[in-house]
Amino acid sequence: MKTTISLSTPSHPETEALVAVVLDHADPAQNEKNKQAKPQLKVAAKDATVQSAASELLSSGEVTPKPFETNLLHNPAGLKAKRLLLIGGGSANKFSSYELRRVAGTAVRTLKSRGIRSFAIIAPPSFPADEAVRAMVEGAVVGNFDSDYYRSDRKDQKIDAITILAGSKADKAALERAAVEAIIIGESQNFTRDLVNEPSNRMTPTILADRAKKMCTEVGLKCEVYGPDKIKEMKMGAFWSVAQGSDEPPALIVMKYEPAGAPAEPVVGLVGKGITFDTGGISIKPADGMEKMKYDMAGGATMMGVMRAIALLKPKVKVIGIVCATENMPSGHAQKPGDVQIAMSGKSIEIINTDAEGRLVLADGLHYAKQLGATHLVDAATLTGAVVVALGMLNAGVFANDDAIYGRFHKANEEAGEKMWRLPLDDEYKEQIRSSIADIMNTGGRWGGAINAAMFLQEFAEDIPWIHLDIAGTAWVEEQKPWIAKGPSGIALRSIIQFVRSFVQ
Ligand code: BES
Ligand code: MN
Ligand code: ZN
């Protein structure tokens, strides 16, 4: 998608569609007293011509302040644009870059389905211009993705070009740089979503590794892929215990970004769960909904997308990306409940449930990242159904073994506009994963399941500052939204990119 920054007034550009945000300026306090209080709808633009083109519609009472509601006007009076698309942004005093991203996504999805290929969008004047450009470009690129890959009637409609009307006083060169970065981030998010969208027969560990190699060559990263022999030779007993049940060979993907001039430390280690299909293994899952387990490699695909973005954004900080890719299958050579496995770190693990496989592959991935010199760790995984019970599909779960690293991550997360919520890791929870035959067991009972899984991972992160992201409930959009297609969300990628960049800003 081509992006242009323009400083001209919104009434001037000749465009297929001019897009503007409509905000409700009604006093919220008054609304509470009097539920009938009338919305005060205004277009978020300084331009009087745009205001007056929209005024009749806005005062008609037909437009509600509902976020992401769209209204399309043809031949708007006084404008050179062929159409004026008004998009609801909700209450003016709650309107943040989180909503602005979604407005841009909504614009893309509304217009492309009407066969329109380009439009101009007004940056709301209440934002710093660069923040508005970043949010709108990221949101627009994300909105341009559709997941209906294998439908014969796939239209593959795309917006090819957008113009951002940034206001006459903006610093054009700075905004153009912001737009280039936002394109990199949005396209990396779509790169991740593309991988996650593929079903398991088209995204085996080998194919995922090939995609990693191809991407790394394109953006100039080092990439190494290790197969079964090397995984066994390195004594990755936890990773191998999952891989041993499948006829598809596993892949340990190692991507390295080592820019000239970066300090020796920090070295950020990113570890992703890459289960290309999770049947549960011998502790097999029920058939109902099992097809969704093709997205169990979303954490791994996220780390690949992050590495892509980092290679293009070029921050001066070292990053290592590791993806532990395998299927989790039942078979004559699958591991069984009760088996004891020795992880790469030397810790012994009693397998209680073979469906708790993500933490096993991550255990060796985290240990390996430390061996390669990581001073800070982030992992992302569709790890537990329990995190979906706890937080639903809105917030991803965040765990941290250190308040300072949590603070840094939380700031990055807010800047990235992704919803996440911290869950606890008290030492007392360790009881839950104590085994009588081995050092730990791989499940900790029914209650607090997301925490038990995180406690297990902490045994392998040990005292290295570490963030664990459980994205089981948020990696897949169950129902299409005005701003995003049904399917893979690409959650966590933007926050992790910001986190990495926080070390150089
Ligand atoms: N991949 C699943 C978790 C999952 C659930 C992802 C729902 C996406 C949506 C994971 O490997 C798993 O099976 N976890 C088990 C752990 C249990 C056996 C302790 C779970 O959550 O049921
Ligand atoms: Mn599982
Ligand atoms: Zn899984």
Side-chain angles (χ1 to χ4, degrees):
M1 197 172 69
K2 185 173 171 279
T3 54
T4 309
I5 305 291
S6 164
L7 310 187
S8 82
T9 62
S11 50
H12 284 174
E14 287 179 22
T15 170
E16 288 294 322
L18 179 68
V19 180
V21 189
V22 172
L23 296 174
D24 181 11
H25 292 260
D27 178 2
Q30 219 190 340
N31 261 343
E32 237 149 70
K33 273 183 259 145
N34 173 10
K35 291 268 180 319
Q36 304 303 308
K38 255 193 152 176
Q40 303 266 316
L41 300 180
K42 278 190 203 140
V43 177
K46 283 196 176 129
D47 191 291
T49 326
V50 179
Q51 298 287 357
S52 73
S55 69
E56 202 176 315
L57 181 61
L58 292 187
S59 57
S60 69
E62 290 166 28
V63 179
T64 73
K66 226 176 117 195
F68 317 116
E69 183 182 89
T70 57
N71 282 283
L72 188 62
L73 272 172
H74 281 249
N75 294 320
L79 305 184
K80 292 203 178 127
K82 287 191 193 155
R83 305 169 185 82
L84 176 62
L85 176 65
L86 299 176
I87 302 183
S91 168
N93 54 11
K94 286 194 196 134
F95 191 72
S96 71
S97 59
Y98 179 80
E99 285 81 20
L100 183 55
R101 242 187 218 93
R102 293 182 167 195
V103 163
T106 303
V108 164
R109 299 193 64 73
T110 306
L111 293 171
K112 73 174 183 165
S113 67
R114 291 177 145 83
I116 293 165
R117 295 288 163 260
S118 60
F119 64 85
I121 183 164
I122 305 172
S126 57
F127 287 81
D130 73 315
E131 190 184 330
V133 166
R134 282 174 205 278
M136 289 196 290
V137 174
E138 285 173 12
V141 175
V142 166
N144 226 0
F145 176 96
D146 274 300
S147 59
D148 56 350
Y149 285 15
Y150 297 106
R151 288 183 66 145
S152 304
D153 62 354
R154 173 171 165 89
K155 296 195 187 80
D156 202 15
Q157 287 169 317
K158 291 252 180 327
I159 294 291
D160 301 324
I162 66 169
T163 300
I164 294 186
L165 303 169
S168 57
K169 294 195 195 78
D171 172 352
K172 197 169 169 190
L175 295 187
E176 277 165 353
R177 285 194 297 276
V180 168
E181 291 190 355
I183 290 270
I184 291 172
I185 293 170
E187 286 181 348
S188 296
Q189 188 169 342
N190 288 352
F191 167 81
T192 291
R193 294 163 82 199
D194 177 46
L195 299 172
V196 179
N197 197 40
E198 295 290 354
S200 75
N201 63 327
R202 293 168 181 275
M203 191 48 70
T204 62
T206 307
I207 298 173
L208 189 65
D210 287 345
R211 297 285 287 266
K213 281 190 233 165
K214 182 164 171 270
M215 177 277 287
C216 286
T217 309
E218 280 165 11
V219 302
L221 290 173
K222 284 189 214 155
C223 182
E224 221 87 60
V225 174
Y226 303 114
D229 295 341
K230 189 75 196 266
I231 291 167
K232 281 185 270 187
E233 188 193 308
M234 291 197 287
K235 296 199 160 50
M236 293 186 157
F239 183 8
W240 178 251
S241 79
V242 181
Q244 72 180 48
S246 172
D247 290 348
E248 284 293 340
L252 174 68
I253 305 167
V254 184
M255 300 161 282
K256 285 189 186 159
Y257 172 69
E258 292 164 328
E265 289 190 355
V267 178
V268 183
L270 308 175
V271 184
K273 170 177 174 180
I275 302 295
T276 58
F277 196 80
D278 181 11
T279 65
I282 296 298
S283 315
I284 198 162
K285 289 181 182 292
D288 198 22
M290 202 205 272
E291 72 284 353
K292 285 185 59 191
M293 285 301 116
K294 68 173 184 177
Y295 82 83
D296 214 18
M297 35 61 80
T302 300
M303 294 320 190
M304 285 168 59
V306 171
M307 293 305 291
R308 179 189 184 276
I310 292 297
L312 296 169
L313 294 168
K314 302 186 177 24
K316 289 217 182 312
V317 51
K318 292 186 178 172
V319 188
I320 304 171
I322 295 173
V323 180
C324 301
T326 176
E327 292 183 331
N328 184 27
M329 298 290 283
S331 79
H333 37 260
Q335 70 174 333
K336 301 169 287 294
D339 287 2
V340 173
Q341 310 291 3
I342 312 296
M344 190 187 200
S345 73
K347 282 208 165 112
S348 58
I349 305 165
E350 181 186 8
I351 306 298
I352 300 298
N353 189 318
T354 64
D355 197 9
E357 86 296 341
R359 62 199 77 179
L360 294 171
V361 306
L362 290 173
D364 285 341
L366 289 166
H367 184 78
Y368 186 54
K370 289 199 297 184
Q371 263 199 358
L372 293 180
T375 59
H376 296 72
L377 292 169
V378 181
D379 77 69
T382 46
L383 203 61
T384 67
V387 86
V388 196
V389 175
L391 300 174
M393 319 254 242
L394 191 59
N395 280 281
V398 188
F399 297 84
N401 61 353
D402 172 277
D403 286 342
I405 198 176
Y406 177 74
R408 182 185 283 274
F409 184 80
H410 179 66
K411 186 165 175 282
N413 177 222
E414 284 199 325
E415 287 162 2
E418 296 182 313
K419 292 215 166 176
M420 301 197 182
W421 198 261
R422 190 177 184 181
L423 293 168
L425 280 176
D426 304 80
D427 280 343
E428 287 103 314
Y429 287 115
K430 224 199 129 182
E431 290 294 308
Q432 296 286 121
I433 55 168
R434 180 167 295 165
S435 161
S436 50
I437 189 175
D439 295 331
I440 44 175
M441 41 184 207
N442 81 326
T443 63
R446 187 160 165 215
W447 309 116
I451 300 170
N452 298 337
M455 290 303 291
F456 181 95
L457 294 180
Q458 187 176 228
E459 294 290 315
F460 299 90
E462 295 186 295
D463 48 9
I464 304 270
W466 158 73
I467 294 285
H468 158 54
L469 304 174
D470 193 337
I471 57 171
T474 46
W476 196 264
V477 181
E478 291 286 341
E479 226 181 287
Q480 69 157 340
K481 301 276 163 47
W483 61 89
I484 195 167
K486 176 179 171 158
S489 68
I491 184 72
L493 168 134
R494 291 204 309 268
S495 297
I496 301 170
I497 294 169
Q498 264 324 95
F499 175 77
V500 169
R501 297 172 95 193
S502 76
F503 288 98
V504 287
Q505 277 157 4

